C-alpha cells in the first residue's frame, strides 16, 4: 500500500512546454505539500494545502500552479517550462504539524 | 526566522564504526525536529522526530538523536554503521512548514 504516490516518476520535456505532476495520498491526512530538490540536493517547500485550501505559497514563479481537487490529491502544473525548472519534485502529506510522509519524487528534466 | 544548519557536507565512515551527524537550529520556541534519510534515487524516509519530553529519541534502523536546547542542537547518532546506511541525511525543523538543512552525505567504506 503506497502512502504517497506521484506520477510520473520521470519527466523529460522541452523548454516552453506545459506539464503536470500528480500526487495522491491514502493516509487520510489534511495537509499536502510540494517541495523542490535542486541539483545540490537542497530541499525547499513550494506550496502547502490544507483541506484543499492554499496555506503556504513560497516565492515560486507564477508559472507553477498547484491544484487540489480534494484533500487526497495535490497536483502541480507548470507552464512554459525553463531549464532552471529541472529538479526533483516531492509531494508530501501530514496531519497537522506531525511528521510529513514523502512520495518517491518526480525527476523533471527540461531540455 | 527559523533555520537549520548541518555543518558537515560529507562524512566518510568505516563499516562498523560509529556515526554522528550534526544539526543546529535557530528557532524562537521549542521546535519540532526531524531527521530524514534519502537513499540514492529515493524519496525521504523519516528516521526519528522530537516534539517534547525525553531529549534522547530512538528511531528506526538503530538511529538515535539527542535534543540539546542549550546548544540548539539535534545530533543524530548510530553506534555501528552498515553499508546500507550510505545515503543523504537531512535535519528538519517544523512550525507550519518544514525547513531543511542542506544535508550530509554519508559514505560507508568497507
Amino acid at each position: 500500500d503506497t502512502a504517497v504516490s506521484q506520477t510520473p516518476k520521470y519527466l523529460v520535456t522541452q523548454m516552453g512546454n506545459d506539464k503536470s505532476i500528480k500526487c495522491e495520498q491514502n493516509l487520510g491526512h489534511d495537509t499536502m505539500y510540494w517541495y523542490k530538490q535542486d541539483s545540490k540536493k537542497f530541499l525547499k517547500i513550494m506550496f502547502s494545502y490544507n483541506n484543499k485550501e492554499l496555506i503556504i505559497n513560497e516565492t515560486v514563479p507564477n508559472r507553477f500552479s498547484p491544484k487540489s481537487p480534494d484533500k487526497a490529491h495535490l497536483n502541480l502544473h507548470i507552464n512554459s517550462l525553463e531549464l532552471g525548472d529541472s529538479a526533483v519534485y516531492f509531494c508530501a502529506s501530514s496531519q497537522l504539524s506531525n511528521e510529513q510522509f514523502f512520495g518517491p519524487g518526480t525527476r523533471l528534466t527540461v531540455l | 526566522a527559523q533555520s537549520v544548519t548541518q555543518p558537515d557536507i560529507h562524512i566518510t565512515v568505516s563499516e562498523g564504526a560509529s556515526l554522528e551527524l550534526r544539526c543546529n537550529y535557530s528557532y524562537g520556541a521549542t521546535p519540532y525536529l526531524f531527521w530524514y534519510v534519502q537513499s540514492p534515487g529515493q524519496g525521504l524516509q523519516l528516521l526519528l522526530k522530537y516534539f517534547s519530553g525525553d531529549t534522547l529519541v530512538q528511531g528506526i534502523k538503530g538511529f538515535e538523536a539527542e535534543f540539546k536546547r542549550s546548544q540548539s542542537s539535534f545530533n543524530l547518532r548510530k553506534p555501528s554503521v552498515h553499508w546500507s546506511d550510505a545515503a543523504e541525511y537531512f535535519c528538519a525543523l517544523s512550525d507550519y512548514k518544514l525547513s531543511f538543512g542542506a544535508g550530509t552525505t554519508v559514505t560507508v567504506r568497507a
Side-chain angles (χ1 to χ4, degrees):
Chain A
D1 287 343
T2 303
V4 182
S5 59
Q6 296 179 227
T7 54
K9 189 169 176 61
Y10 299 97
L11 187 52
V12 181
T13 188
Q14 300 286 332
M15 271 198 314
N17 284 350
D18 303 337
K19 290 294 179 185
S20 292
I21 306 172
K22 295 185 177 182
C23 177
E24 176 180 2
Q25 56 97 1
N26 62 7
L27 297 167
H29 290 164
D30 289 332
T31 308
M32 296 184 71
Y33 311 81
W34 278 111
Y35 290 86
K36 179 180 180 180
Q37 186 174 44
D38 62 23
S39 58
K40 296 183 178 179
K41 298 191 177 180
F42 186 70
L43 278 155
K44 185 168 170 55
I45 190 166
M46 301 173 68
F47 302 103
S48 174
Y49 269 74
N50 181 267
N51 273 323
K52 303 192 296 176
E53 182 178 341
L54 182 66
I55 57 171
I56 296 175
N57 185 350
E58 295 292 297
T59 51
V60 177
N62 291 338
R63 300 181 294 102
F64 290 78
S65 55
K67 285 186 171 54
S68 182
D70 55 62
K71 75 173 192 177
H73 296 83
L74 180 62
N75 303 324
L76 183 65
H77 188 76
I78 316 170
N79 290 325
S80 303
L81 278 156
E82 301 177 356
L83 293 176
D85 297 331
S86 295
V88 181
Y89 292 85
F90 287 101
C91 177
S93 73
S94 73
Q95 190 64 15
L96 301 176
S97 294
N98 289 330
E99 69 263 29
Q100 296 184 19
F101 292 82
F102 284 78
T106 296
R107 182 174 294 277
L108 171 65
T109 302
V110 182
L111 303 175
Chain B
Q2 64 191 60
S3 67
V4 178
T5 302
Q6 293 179 246
D8 304 305
I9 296 173
H10 193 177
I11 286 180
T12 299
V13 60
S14 297
E15 193 169 13
S18 64
L19 173 68
E20 181 167 12
L21 304 181
R22 295 184 291 165
C23 173
N24 295 101
Y25 68 89
S26 173
Y27 189 63
T30 300
Y32 291 174
L33 293 163
F34 306 85
W35 274 100
Y36 284 86
V37 61
Q38 183 180 24
S39 297
Q42 302 297 313
L44 282 81
Q45 181 182 22
L46 180 70
L47 285 175
L48 46 78
K49 62 186 178 185
Y50 173 78
F51 286 177
S52 64
D54 193 347
T55 56
L56 185 63
V57 293
Q58 301 297 320
I60 63 171
K61 304 185 179 187
F63 284 92
E64 66 176 25
E66 187 171 12
F67 172 67
K68 292 186 177 180
R69 185 189 304 276
S70 61
Q71 298 178 19
S72 297
S73 69
F74 188 56
N75 294 348
L76 181 72
R77 298 192 293 256
K78 185 169 184 175
S80 178
V81 168
H82 186 262
W83 63 266
S84 60
D85 294 321
E88 192 78 20
Y89 291 80
F90 293 96
C91 182
L93 181 155
S94 174
D95 49 14
Y96 66 97
K97 65 178 183 180
L98 268 181
S99 295
F100 285 90
T104 298
T105 303
V106 172
T107 299
V108 180
R109 59 180 174 223

